[in-house]
Amino acid sequence: DGLGLEQGRLMQAVLRMAVMAAGSSIGIALLVLWLVHPVMSGAQRWMLLWPVGLAAAGLLELLDVLRSLGWPLARLAQPAVRWRLIGHSVLTGLMFAAISVFIYPQVDAEQRYLLGMIACAAIPIGAMAGAPLRWGGMGWTLVTSAGVLLGVLQLDGLVRDVSVPLTLLMAVLVMVSLNAIGRSVRHRLQAEATARRERHALDLLLRDFEQHADDWLWETDAHGRLRRISSRMAQALGVSDAHLLIGRVLIELLRDAEGSEPLARHLSEPEPFRALALRLPSRQLLQTARQHWTVSGVPLLDAEARIVSWRGVVRDVTLLREQSRELQRLAHTDVLTGLANRHVLQRRCAEAVARCHVAVAGRSPEASAPPTPPMLTLCLLDLDNFKEINDTLGHAVGDRLLRKVARRLSVCVAGFGDPAAHVLARLGGDEFALLIDRSHPVAEREAMAQALLQALRPVWQDEQAAVEVRASLGVASWDVLHPDADRLFQDADLALYAAKAAGRDVVRTFDAPMRAELMRRHGLVRDLGLLLRAPAGEHAEAGRLMLHYQPQFDLAEGRLSGAEALLRWRHPVRGWISPAEFVPLAEEHGLIALLGEWVLHRACLDAAGWPEPMRLAVNLSALQFKRGDIEKSVAGAIEASGIEPYMLELELTESILISDTE
C-alpha cells in the first residue's frame, strides 16, 4: 500500500547511506588503532579492544546492509529492518564512545588533538548517515556525544573548559539538523509516493483511454521522432506493433495524407494547434472506411522557448463525417421517394427569384414588362383521389405508388435536359413540384406540363391492384410583380386549385383573374364572419343577412298553405349575393353551422308573428347533421319562438341520405 511503499523507500535510502557510515566506522577504528597502538603499555593494551570492537561493529553493519539492499520494498518496510539499523547505529556509537571515555585521557596532547579531530568528523558523518531514519541518527549522536563529554571531563584546565561547551553545541546543532533533514526526507519521499500514485492512476486512465476512446495519443521529440504512439493509431497506419514505430518521424508516416504539409508547418512552430484535418488514402489503412483524421498538438518548451517535444491527440472522424453527410442528405431529401424536399425547393426558388429581380433591375421603364420567354416557372402537381387509394388498399400500397410516381416524374424531367436547371421535389403527402430555373418559351412550358401528366397515365400494376394514376397540375411563371418566392408558390397553388375545380387530370396556368377571384372569396368569408357575429342588424362593411319567404299554395282549395324560408345577403358593395355562392364558402370555412343555426331561429321567430299558423319549411345543411346536435338546435328554436312543433318542416338534400342512410 502507499504507507508501505513510503517506508520501504525510506529504508532503501537509509541503507544506501548506511554503507558509507559502516565504511566510515571501519576506517575510523583502524585510524584510532594505528594512532594509539604504539603508545599503549602492556597494562593498557586491553583498551585496544574498543577500536577493534568499532571495526567489528562497522563490518557487521556493512555486511547486514549489503545483504538487505537487494530486498523488495515490502520487506524493507517491516519494523525489524528499521530496528536492526537503529541497533547498528547505537552499537557503533557505544564503541566510539568507549574510545573517548577510556583512550582519550590516556594519550598525550598531540594524540588528543588528532582524536578530537576524528570525533568532530565522525559524529556528524554517523548522524547524517542515519538522518532519514531520524532515531538512528539521534541515537548515534547522543551516544557518541556523551562518550566525548565523558572523556573530556576527565581532563583538567582550559582544554576541558572549552571542549565541553563546544561538544554540547555541536551535539545540539547536529540534533536540530537531524530533525530538519529527517522531516525533509520524509516529505520528499511522501511527495514521490504521491507522484507515483498519481502517475500510476494517470497511466491507468491513459491506457483505458487508448483502449476505449476514439482519440489516440502521440508524442515526439524535438526532431519529430515518435516517443510514444497509441497501439490503435499504429494499427490504423497498418502496423500491428506500436513499438516498431518508435523513433520513426511522424511526418514521414503521414506524408501521403492530404493536410500533411500544414501539419509539418505547425510542428516547426512553437504554437499549439487544434483539430487539423487530415485525409489519409484508403490503401494506407487496414479498414478502408477510416480515412478522415483530426490532429491536435501542444509543444513542450525549454527556458529559451525552444521545442523540446510535442504531445497530441489524433481522432478518427470518418464515422462523424459519414453521419454528417447522411444528416445533410436527409435534411435535403424526401425519405420516401429520394427526391428533393420542400426545404430545398423553397431555397432554390428564393435564390432564383432573387436572380430574376437582379436581371430586370437595370432595365428601362419601357422594358419593365414581364420577360418573354419566362425566366422561372413553378409547377405544382397533386395526385387525384390518392386518399381513396390509401383508404382502400392501405398506406403501404400508397407509399409504393408514391415511389413509382417519383420515378416516372424523374425519368420525364431527365428528358428536359440541363439537370441543374430543374428541381423535382416532393412537398408532402401526394403533392409534387417542379421548378424550371431557366429561360424557356411558353409553348415549351406547356409541353413540359403535359409531359408530366402523360408520364403518370400508364396503369400502375401492384401485387394487390391495378391503379390508374391521374393528377392535376398548376403552373405559375415569375414576373416583376412577384415580390418573393412565397407569392410564386401562392400563384401556382391557385392554378392547382383551378385545375382540380376544372375536373382534374388537367393543367391550369395562373392568370390575374384567379387571384382576383381568390381575393373576392376571402372578402366574402371575412364579411360573412362579421355578419354572423351580429346577425340581427346591419353591418356597414358586410351589409345584412335576411330571410325571404316563398309562399306555398294549395291549388285544390285555393288557399295559402305554407312558406319556405330563403336566405338572402345584400352586400353594400357587391349587391345581392346568391346563396349558391356564399353557402359553399360557409361550408368550406366552417361557418355553415352558425349560419344554419341563425336561419332556423330567425325563421321560427318570424313564423310566430304570422296572422295564422301555417307550415314553415327550412333547409338544413348536411354538416349540421354531422355535428350531432341537430335535435338540440330544433328544440331550442321551437321553444324560443313559441310556435307549434307541427308547423316546422325540415328540408334535407339527398346528399345526406347517400352519405349516412341510417
Side-chain angles (χ1 to χ4, degrees):
D1 56 15
L3 181 59
L5 179 64
E6 179 185 339
Q7 291 292 338
R9 295 280 294 175
L10 177 62
M11 296 309 301
Q12 198 173 55
V14 172
L15 288 173
R16 293 193 184 101
M17 299 182 71
V19 173
M20 178 188 68
S24 299
S25 298
I26 297 172
I28 290 171
L30 295 177
L31 181 59
V32 171
L33 187 61
W34 176 74
L35 285 174
V36 302
H37 180 268
V39 300
M40 290 295 173
S41 60
Q44 295 175 329
R45 287 190 178 276
W46 66 273
M47 296 183 185
L48 296 178
L49 292 175
W50 303 116
V52 173
L54 178 60
L59 181 60
L60 178 63
E61 181 180 6
L62 180 60
L63 294 176
D64 191 20
V65 168
L66 293 176
R67 179 174 64 91
S68 303
L69 277 175
W71 289 356
L73 295 179
R75 187 174 180 183
L76 292 177
Q78 294 177 0
V81 177
R82 182 167 63 255
W83 287 111
R84 193 163 63 247
L85 287 176
I86 293 175
H88 285 309
S89 180
V90 173
L91 178 61
T92 54
L94 287 173
M95 294 296 104
F96 188 83
I99 293 173
S100 300
V101 173
F102 295 106
I103 298 178
Y104 190 78
Q106 305 301 324
V107 296
D108 56 24
E110 182 179 2
Q111 290 172 332
R112 287 176 186 171
Y113 174 77
L114 293 175
L115 290 177
M117 293 293 294
I118 292 173
C120 290
I123 292 176
I125 289 176
M128 294 302 107
L133 198 56
R134 193 161 58 175
W135 287 112
M138 287 187 175
W140 165 271
T141 303
L142 289 173
V143 173
T144 55
S145 298
V148 171
L149 283 174
L150 290 176
V152 171
L153 287 173
Q154 298 179 45
L155 303 178
D156 296 324
L158 185 61
V159 175
R160 181 189 62 187
D161 296 338
V162 174
S163 299
V164 169
L166 288 178
T167 303
L168 289 174
L169 178 61
M170 183 178 66
V172 171
L173 291 176
V174 171
M175 297 284 283
V176 172
S177 300
L178 284 176
N179 188 50
I181 293 173
R183 282 202 308 268
S184 176
V185 171
R186 286 182 177 274
H187 290 163
R188 181 176 63 82
L189 292 175
Q190 289 173 356
E192 291 179 357
T194 301
R196 279 193 298 272
R197 286 194 297 269
E198 293 177 351
R199 186 163 56 249
H200 180 65
L202 181 59
D203 288 341
L204 291 177
L205 289 174
L206 289 176
R207 192 176 301 115
D208 182 72
F209 178 81
E210 290 183 348
Q211 291 176 354
H212 300 97
D214 295 332
D215 296 338
W216 307 327
L217 303 178
W218 58 271
E219 181 179 354
T220 68
D221 59 15
H223 302 289
R225 291 187 292 265
L226 285 169
R227 289 179 177 174
R228 174 179 180 152
I229 183 171
S230 169
S231 58
R232 297 174 62 200
M233 181 177 174
Q235 292 173 4
L237 290 170
V239 179
S240 58
D241 188 357
H243 292 90
L244 299 176
L245 296 179
I246 302 300
R248 298 280 301 276
V249 179
L250 179 62
I251 290 299
E252 290 298 321
L253 295 174
L254 302 175
R255 63 180 180 276
D256 294 334
E258 297 180 13
S260 60
E261 293 182 3
L263 176 60
R265 186 170 61 254
H266 280 294
L267 291 176
S268 64
E269 301 171 353
E271 295 293 336
F273 60 91
R274 181 176 179 83
L276 182 66
L278 290 181
R279 178 166 181 160
L280 279 72
S282 57
R283 62 179 178 80
Q284 189 172 343
L285 303 172
L286 294 180
Q287 297 181 3
T288 57
R290 294 185 175 181
Q291 49 186 348
H292 293 280
W293 291 2
T294 59
V295 183
S296 302
V298 177
L300 299 181
L301 308 178
D302 59 13
E304 298 179 1
R306 293 176 300 189
I307 299 175
V308 176
S309 65
W310 278 92
R311 293 176 182 173
V313 174
V314 172
R315 170 170 291 186
D316 184 351
V317 295
T318 303
L319 181 59
L320 293 177
R321 292 286 182 90
E322 293 175 353
Q323 291 174 343
S324 177
R325 284 196 297 267
E326 181 64 14
L327 290 175
Q328 190 77 2
R329 186 188 69 81
L330 293 176
H332 296 83
T333 305
D334 177 64
V335 177
L336 180 63
T337 62
L339 301 178
N341 59 15
R342 178 184 292 272
H343 170 74
V344 173
L345 183 69
Q346 290 176 333
R347 177 174 56 80
R348 284 289 303 272
C349 188
E351 294 172 354
V353 169
R355 287 197 303 270
C356 291
H357 279 292
V358 172
V360 301
R363 296 183 182 180
S364 60
E366 23 315 321
S368 61
T372 303
M375 301 170 63
L376 180 67
T377 293
L378 178 64
C379 304
L380 295 184
L381 183 146
D382 191 88
L383 299 183
D384 297 333
N385 302 319
F386 179 74
K387 185 178 183 301
E388 296 179 6
I389 297 174
N390 268 341
D391 293 341
T392 56
L393 301 179
H395 289 277
V397 175
D399 289 346
R400 291 197 294 272
L401 174 59
L402 290 175
R403 285 193 287 268
K404 183 62 177 179
V405 167
R407 286 194 292 271
R408 289 183 178 181
L409 293 177
S410 298
V411 172
C412 180
V413 172
F416 298 160
D418 194 4
H422 301 88
V423 181
L424 180 63
R426 178 180 175 233
L427 303 184
D430 60 339
E431 190 173 6
F432 296 82
L434 173 64
L435 181 67
I436 306 172
D437 186 10
R438 61 178 175 85
S439 180
H440 51 279
V442 174
E444 182 184 359
R445 179 189 68 187
E446 295 175 353
M448 286 191 290
Q450 290 296 336
L452 291 174
L453 294 185
Q454 186 64 34
L456 300 179
R457 285 178 180 145
V459 175
W460 175 63
Q461 185 68 43
D462 187 66
E463 298 175 356
Q464 301 180 13
V467 179
E468 290 188 357
V469 185
R470 297 292 184 269
S472 301
L473 188 64
V475 179
S477 294
W478 179 87
D479 59 41
V480 292
L481 300 179
H482 285 90
D484 51 34
D486 290 340
R487 179 67 175 269
L488 185 60
F489 269 89
Q490 292 176 6
D491 291 349
D493 199 55
L494 287 174
L496 177 62
Y497 182 85
K500 286 187 173 294
R504 307 192 178 192
D505 194 26
V506 295
V507 178
R508 287 293 181 267
T509 302
F510 173 81
D511 53 23
M514 289 183 183
R515 179 162 290 279
E517 178 62 19
L518 175 66
M519 300 306 296
R520 171 182 167 82
R521 289 166 58 87
H522 284 179
L524 291 178
V525 172
R526 182 200 60 194
D527 293 344
L528 186 58
L530 292 175
L531 290 178
L532 290 177
R533 283 195 289 271
E538 188 88 13
H539 196 286
E541 297 182 14
R544 184 177 181 182
L545 288 174
M546 61 187 71
L547 293 180
H548 289 184
Y549 294 94
Q550 177 174 292
Q552 297 175 343
F553 285 91
D554 186 340
L555 296 181
E557 299 183 4
R559 66 178 179 85
L560 182 65
S561 60
E564 179 182 2
L566 303 176
L567 179 61
R568 295 293 182 264
W569 182 6
R570 186 177 61 194
H571 197 278
V573 177
R574 296 183 174 89
W576 291 98
I577 301 176
S578 169
E581 181 177 2
F582 70 80
V583 169
L585 285 177
E587 292 180 342
E588 181 180 342
H589 291 84
L591 299 175
I592 191 62
L594 293 175
L595 188 61
E597 187 88 5
W598 180 82
V599 170
L600 182 61
H601 281 73
R602 181 75 263 170
C604 290
L605 289 174
D606 287 348
W610 290 348
E612 58 184 66
M614 68 177 75
R615 186 177 66 253
L616 169 65
V618 179
N619 291 299
L620 294 179
S621 167
L623 293 179
Q624 289 179 268
F625 277 83
K626 291 181 180 180
R627 286 183 56 183
D629 58 354
I630 186 65
E631 299 93 336
K632 182 178 179 181
S633 297
V634 172
I638 293 175
E639 182 179 357
S641 62
I643 66 173
E644 294 296 330
Y646 73 87
M647 296 174 57
L648 182 59
E649 179 182 278
L650 304 177
E651 295 195 358
L652 315 178
T653 61
E654 64 278 7
S655 62
I656 298 177
L657 301 178
I658 293 174
S659 62
D660 190 348
T661 305
E662 184 178 354

